[in-house]
Amino acid sequence: MDGVEIHGPSADRFDEILTPEALAFTATLQREFGARRLELLRARQERQAELSAGGTLDFLPETRHVRESEWRVAPPAPGLEDRRVEITGPVDRKMTINALNSGAKVWLADFEDANAPTWENTVNGQLNLRDALDRTIDFSSGGKDYALRPDEELATIVVRPRGWHLEEKHLTLDGEPFSGSLVDFGLYFFHSAKRQIAKGKGPYFYLPKMESHLEARLWNDVFVRAQELLGVPRGTIRATVLIETYPAAFEMEEILHELREHSAGLNAGRWDYLFSVIKKFRTRGREFLLPERNAVTMTAPFMRAYTELLVRTCHRRGAHAIGGMAAFIPSRRDPEVNRVALEKVTADKTRESGDGFDGSWVAHPDLVPVCREVFDSVLGERPNQLDRLREDVSVSAADLLAVSKTPGEITEAGLRNNVDVALRYLAAWMGGQGAVAIHNLMEDAATAEISRSQIWQWIHNDIRLADTGAVVTKELVERIIEEELAGIAAEPGYDAERYAQATALFKEVALDDDFAEFLTLPAYARMP
């Protein structure tokens, strides 16, 4: 094909996805929108330089007219009217079946933070989704067979492509890598959009990591062009945007406005949001210093401001507001662990439903009934609570920026947990696994980002640990790395080579003087 080259290995049935027609469609999107993507990434760097030089975030004066005028997004699309429970997970074959069968209303089929973007995962994920829509998917493991329930019992598929910052090195156009976003979107839309439409729904997406309404405008233009190229009626696509970067919290209205004919609402992406807070103001001293990650709850003032503004913004514009992740994984062996964790999950979902959210996320099928029961108690037979306008909410820029009011400490135990989780996660990621069960929590790239960015911030602010009095230095962290590795090495299945890769990567993104924008960028460079 003209200008397109495949650099990844071939495998069984890959030719069904990597057809000349599908690659030509995706190449058209890359040719028409690739340059704009790069311009927007440069704009991110310019904004970061302004913040590092002492600038701040605020609601944009140039878009005041958008915030003050009357408009609404498109009405909820078929299969997205009721979103009281959404389950997230990677697009491997077993997860595809389990998520669709889980009883959740929506499955976020994840090519992003819960997926390590090996070429095999990328292409097989597309095959799995297409097979699921064709009802030809099955899976067997450990003597157990997995198959889909009837269509009317399945969750609605909503695909999360990679963020604008990630590339797909296994596909090049005129010698340059494709956008990972456009590969994930393009291949899915080409192969599966009309399959979803035939089932009475449509091609739906979750859009991650955006930092401005101009990035949302780019997605909207991609949607318009893709629908035009394949003869799909304009407005059939619907997209929910994750508000998971600090700048995006100040542009929620504008993001909805840019996508309004394709908008399905906003989601409070809490873990990446915390990472973005650290990243954006990492050079600004202790004013933007967070306590250890397990101490930061959704009741922290700046997190309350963010979530309440999100609900008010969405409902004012007729859009769904979807709550954050419950990452707990129930234990088969420890009922006390389950009891304590499920109390926290229930309290979290009760807070969200009480605040007006229309639904929320879980990471494990066993949590679907827990979340559903909480939202059922508020919603009853209603599909959502879009009628709760939350006009009582008034959030200022200062409220969103009030990081320093967050209670909590920084302890050696917290530091060790960050090191341990990051090493375990990166080792799994380098082995092709993007969603990893660690200490009864489902960890993904977002939580690994918090772990390493907190350590970087603590080192650069001479933080003294509350429990030991030790100052966090590179030398202390390196000693803890060795001690945590020694414990991991004693566990069954330890892979010395993979942990050596993970350790080198972790030291680069947590201990270098220069802060890596995303740990997945150097990690992907190391991936075959």
Side-chain angles (χ1 to χ4, degrees), residues 213-376:
H213 69 285
L214 298 179
E215 295 180 20
R217 181 179 299 172
L218 176 57
W219 267 121
N220 197 71
D221 291 346
V222 169
F223 294 163
V224 170
R225 183 64 170 134
Q227 289 166 133
E228 179 183 79
L229 287 169
L230 293 191
V232 172
R234 180 165 167 161
T236 304
I237 292 174
R238 294 298 166 83
T240 306
V241 174
L242 290 118
I243 301 300
E244 56 182 354
T245 71
Y246 217 4
F250 294 82
E251 299 184 38
M252 288 193 256
E253 294 250 24
E254 294 88 338
I255 287 168
L256 284 176
H257 187 261
E258 292 293 344
L259 285 159
R260 58 194 180 279
E261 66 178 328
H262 298 112
S263 179
L266 304 177
N267 171 280
R270 60 177 70 171
W271 300 121
D272 262 311
Y273 190 75
L274 292 176
F275 162 54
S276 183
V277 167
I278 298 168
K279 177 167 66 172
K280 290 300 169 187
F281 288 92
R282 62 184 181 264
T283 64
R284 303 289 289 277
R286 299 196 178 203
E287 183 184 357
F288 290 93
L289 187 79
L290 287 169
E292 58 196 52
R293 71 172 194 152
N294 291 338
V296 183
T297 70
M298 297 306 292
T299 60
F302 82 104
M303 295 300 281
R304 286 292 289 157
Y306 148 68
T307 55
E308 294 214 304
L309 180 61
L310 188 148
V311 174
R312 177 184 166 89
T313 300
C314 284
H315 288 184
R316 181 186 177 201
R317 304 304 184 180
H320 282 106
I322 307 300
M325 170 72 81
F328 174 63
I329 301 173
S331 170
R332 307 296 189 204
R333 297 185 300 274
D334 194 333
E336 181 59 19
V337 166
N338 289 350
R339 185 190 66 78
V340 173
L342 290 176
E343 283 181 1
K344 292 180 179 178
V345 171
T346 301
D348 186 51
K349 301 310 176 191
T350 300
R351 176 190 52 76
E352 288 181 330
S353 62
D355 284 348
F357 279 96
D358 301 291
S360 193
W361 279 12
V362 300
H364 192 278
D366 287 356
L367 294 185
V368 169
V370 178
C371 184
R372 184 174 58 228
E373 181 179 355
V374 171
F375 275 87
D376 284 352

Side-chain angles (χ1 to χ4, degrees), residues 13 24 108 117 153 157 220-221 231-232 296 300 393 397 440 479 524:
R13 298 184 62 204
L108 184 152
E153 298 179 28
I157 295 173
N220 197 71
D221 291 346
V232 172
V296 183
V393 170
N440 293 112
R479 175 172 64 79
Y524 188 57

Side-chain angles (χ1 to χ4, degrees), residues 328-482:
F328 174 63
I329 301 173
S331 170
R332 307 296 189 204
R333 297 185 300 274
D334 194 333
E336 181 59 19
V337 166
N338 289 350
R339 185 190 66 78
V340 173
L342 290 176
E343 283 181 1
K344 292 180 179 178
V345 171
T346 301
D348 186 51
K349 301 310 176 191
T350 300
R351 176 190 52 76
E352 288 181 330
S353 62
D355 284 348
F357 279 96
D358 301 291
S360 193
W361 279 12
V362 300
H364 192 278
D366 287 356
L367 294 185
V368 169
V370 178
C371 184
R372 184 174 58 228
E373 181 179 355
V374 171
F375 275 87
D376 284 352
S377 70
V378 172
L379 294 174
E381 296 299 315
R382 296 180 299 150
N384 52 60
Q385 46 186 340
L386 290 172
D387 57 330
R388 282 201 63 197
L389 299 182
R390 291 307 311 273
E391 292 176 339
D392 56 305
V393 170
S394 178
V395 173
S396 67
D399 294 329
L400 292 172
L401 292 166
V403 175
S404 62
K405 296 180 181 179
T406 306
E409 296 180 326
I410 300 168
T411 66
E412 182 176 312
L415 173 57
R416 285 185 179 276
N417 184 66
N418 279 3
V419 170
D420 177 78
V421 167
L423 290 174
R424 291 176 187 272
Y425 181 80
L426 291 174
W429 198 94
M430 297 301 292
Q433 186 181 358
V436 187
I438 303 173
H439 310 317
N440 293 112
L441 291 175
M442 185 63 75
E443 305 283 358
D444 66 9
T447 51
E449 290 281 29
I450 297 171
S451 296
R452 67 93 181 186
S453 59
Q454 283 204 314
I455 290 172
W456 190 96
Q457 189 182 38
W458 296 344
I459 289 171
H460 287 80
N461 283 278
D462 299 321
I463 292 304
R464 191 174 295 278
L465 298 174
D467 49 353
T468 68
V471 175
V472 181
T473 62
K474 289 182 182 180
E475 292 73 24
L476 175 63
V477 175
E478 286 175 334
R479 175 172 64 79
I480 288 176
I481 289 171
E482 296 308 313

Side-chain angles (χ1 to χ4, degrees), residues 47-266:
R47 195 175 206 180
Q48 181 64 62
E50 293 170 2
L51 294 176
S52 297
T56 192
L57 295 171
D58 204 344
F59 301 106
L60 302 178
E62 63 267 28
T63 55
R64 182 186 298 274
H65 64 285
V66 172
R67 297 192 297 276
E68 294 181 350
S69 59
E70 292 300 319
W71 51 269
R72 290 175 70 82
V73 304
L80 292 180
E81 301 96 336
D82 186 333
R83 303 174 64 177
R84 67 188 68 198
V85 191
E86 303 193 352
I87 190 168
T88 73
V91 282
D92 62 83
R93 210 158 183 82
K94 180 180 177 182
M95 182 65 191
T96 297
I97 298 170
N98 283 345
L100 289 172
N101 286 345
S102 67
K105 294 292 187 179
V106 165
W107 171 40
L108 184 152
D110 199 5
F111 286 91
E112 205 231 1
D113 273 359
N115 178 63
T118 65
W119 184 236
E120 291 81 0
N121 286 349
T122 297
V123 182
N124 280 325
Q126 297 286 347
L127 277 166
N128 294 336
L129 292 174
R130 196 184 71 169
D131 287 353
L133 289 166
D134 287 344
R135 298 193 61 84
T136 59
I137 193 169
D138 55 31
F139 183 79
S140 297
S141 176
K144 185 176 180 181
D145 296 326
Y146 298 79
L148 291 178
R149 292 176 176 172
D151 273 358
E152 61 271 16
E153 298 179 28
L154 301 181
T156 298
I157 295 173
V158 179
V159 171
R160 178 161 69 167
R162 281 168 281 183
W164 282 131
H165 61 289
L166 292 169
E167 295 182 337
E168 178 49 73
K169 64 184 178 183
H170 301 100
L171 268 184
T172 57
L173 179 63
D174 303 327
E176 296 296 323
F178 273 68
S179 156
S181 308
L182 295 179
V183 168
D184 298 338
F185 167 80
L187 293 177
Y188 182 76
F189 192 78
F190 184 87
H191 288 293
S192 295
K194 291 183 178 178
R195 284 175 161 87
Q196 274 196 290
I197 293 168
K199 289 183 177 292
K201 297 181 180 179
Y204 304 141
F205 299 90
Y206 255 109
L207 304 179
K209 304 287 191 295
M210 285 197 284
E211 297 194 8
S212 77
H213 69 285
L214 298 179
E215 295 180 20
R217 181 179 299 172
L218 176 57
W219 267 121
N220 197 71
D221 291 346
V222 169
F223 294 163
V224 170
R225 183 64 170 134
Q227 289 166 133
E228 179 183 79
L229 287 169
L230 293 191
V232 172
R234 180 165 167 161
T236 304
I237 292 174
R238 294 298 166 83
T240 306
V241 174
L242 290 118
I243 301 300
E244 56 182 354
T245 71
Y246 217 4
F250 294 82
E251 299 184 38
M252 288 193 256
E253 294 250 24
E254 294 88 338
I255 287 168
L256 284 176
H257 187 261
E258 292 293 344
L259 285 159
R260 58 194 180 279
E261 66 178 328
H262 298 112
S263 179
L266 304 177

Side-chain angles (χ1 to χ4, degrees), residues 25-35 37 173 177-179 182:
F25 171 78
T26 307
T28 297
L29 299 180
Q30 177 67 28
R31 283 197 171 96
E32 295 188 11
F33 300 105
R37 178 184 81 92
L173 179 63
F178 273 68
S179 156
L182 295 179

